[in-house]
Amino acid sequence: MSIQTVGIIGAGTMGNGIAQACAVCGIDVIMVDIKQEALDKGVSTVSSSLDRLIKKELLTADKKNAALARIKTSTNFETLKDAHLVIEAATENYDLKVKILKQVDALLPPEVIIASNTSSISITQLASTTSRPDRFVGMHFFNPVPMMALVEIIRGLDTSDTTHSKVEELANALGKSPITVKNAPGFVVNRILVPMINEALFVLAEGLASPEDIDQGMKLGCNHPIGPLALADLIGLDVCLAVMEVYLKEYGDSKYRPCPLLKELVSAGRLGRKTKHGIYDYNK
């Protein structure tokens, strides 16, 4: 059976982005959040995003309306019973995710696949808290979901071939380009990306170049669309620090030690764009 209805837990940035990607491709969506306000904001965000596509002549008004009609919202987890796949896209917090997964696992029919959009938490560990580790998988989308082509499909220790195949089929149906990854801290992209950002902060701390020149060097020399320091501000310096601390703990390798400047900036509350000040000052 192909996946025709996707349940999404969480109406935030990642949740509503996944909802848009599904709905535009003709897949029905059930988006659940604990607050109606969050759901309303999520749908509004999707609507605004689709309007931008219309302005660029990449979408028609009729297709926008059809996509929005495919998105149903609810504050009741019971509505997820009609989904063929449920994607958990809650905040990156292990205890919260486990609480949600246990609740959903008890409600869903046994054949339903559960996926987590986690960017760092062990898929094997999350799967073990459910009754269906063979039908549990990581489905890591990248922000902004409607624009980014990549989806990391992470296989836990017990993820079945059938589960992997169905999720890969869905990713392709969404127009994404999936890659298959074994379960490990940071998976593939963030395992490479965040230590690179951390190293850029070491370069800055050592006074080798200005933030602007470090970013310009990586953009022009490596053809990156955005420099590592600007990207760190976009991701959130607190998130970068948390990821590096996970790597240091899990791998036990000093190469993953967080840069002291990164710690200092986070301690000062300079977290990047979300606080209007990080490595760069966004108040100007």
Side-chain angles (χ1 to χ4, degrees), residues 90-214:
T91 304
E92 194 74 352
N93 176 287
Y94 175 76
D95 292 335
L96 174 62
K97 287 183 184 291
V98 169
K99 180 182 178 182
I100 290 170
L101 291 172
K102 283 181 175 292
Q103 185 176 348
V104 173
D105 180 48
L107 288 172
L108 296 176
E111 69 275 9
V112 176
I113 296 170
I114 299 178
S116 176
N117 182 55
T118 180
S119 59
S120 65
I121 300 172
S122 168
I123 294 302
T124 297
Q125 192 173 4
L126 290 175
S128 71
T129 68
T130 74
S131 64
R132 63 191 80 203
D134 60 322
R135 292 180 301 287
F136 194 98
V137 68
M139 201 173 185
H140 182 209
F141 290 84
F142 288 77
N143 186 34
V145 177
M147 304 300 295
M148 298 294 280
L150 180 65
V151 175
E152 285 182 318
I153 300 175
I154 304 102
R155 298 190 67 149
L157 189 62
D158 296 312
T159 302
S160 71
D161 290 342
T162 300
T163 295
H164 172 267
S165 178
K166 286 186 176 181
V167 171
E168 187 176 47
E169 181 184 330
L170 173 64
N172 284 317
L174 297 181
K176 304 300 183 185
S177 299
I179 62 172
T180 299
V181 182
K182 289 182 180 179
N183 185 58
F187 314 130
V188 167
V189 174
N190 285 340
R191 169 82 175 274
I192 298 168
L193 175 66
V194 182
M196 183 194 72
I197 289 172
N198 192 56
E199 193 64 26
L201 278 152
F202 271 117
V203 169
L204 177 62
E206 291 166 18
L208 298 184
S210 68
E212 293 82 1
D213 282 350
I214 292 169

Side-chain angles (χ1 to χ4, degrees), residues 13-61:
T13 300
M14 297 306 292
N16 68 60
I18 298 168
Q20 176 179 330
C22 290
V24 166
C25 291
I27 294 169
D28 292 331
V29 174
I30 305 166
M31 188 163 63
V32 175
D33 204 298
I34 57 173
K35 295 183 178 179
Q36 186 60 46
E37 296 91 334
L39 291 166
D40 293 341
K41 183 179 179 181
V43 172
S44 176
T45 299
V46 172
S47 181
S48 297
S49 177
L50 295 177
D51 282 338
R52 288 192 293 273
L53 293 178
I54 292 173
K55 286 182 179 179
K56 295 177 181 178
E57 297 184 347
L58 298 173
L59 194 76
T60 65

Side-chain angles (χ1 to χ4, degrees), residues 223-279:
N223 205 27
H224 289 191
I226 183 173
L229 299 177
L231 181 58
D233 276 350
L234 184 62
I235 293 170
L237 299 185
D238 53 334
V239 175
C240 293
L241 176 58
V243 170
M244 289 304 298
E245 288 174 337
V246 167
Y247 293 171
L248 185 62
K249 177 184 176 183
E250 294 296 327
Y251 291 113
D253 191 325
S254 62
K255 74 179 181 180
Y256 295 116
R257 69 198 187 286
C259 177
L261 176 58
L262 176 58
K263 291 183 175 181
E264 186 80 359
L265 289 167
V266 172
S267 295
R270 287 172 53 176
L271 308 183
R273 286 184 177 272
K274 59 187 170 186
T275 59
K276 304 296 184 184
H277 200 183
I279 297 165

Side-chain angles (χ1 to χ4, degrees), residues 59-73:
L59 194 76
T60 65
D62 286 345
K63 287 186 177 179
K64 172 198 171 180
N65 293 332
L68 288 176
R70 293 187 188 102
I71 302 175
K72 309 300 181 187
T73 64

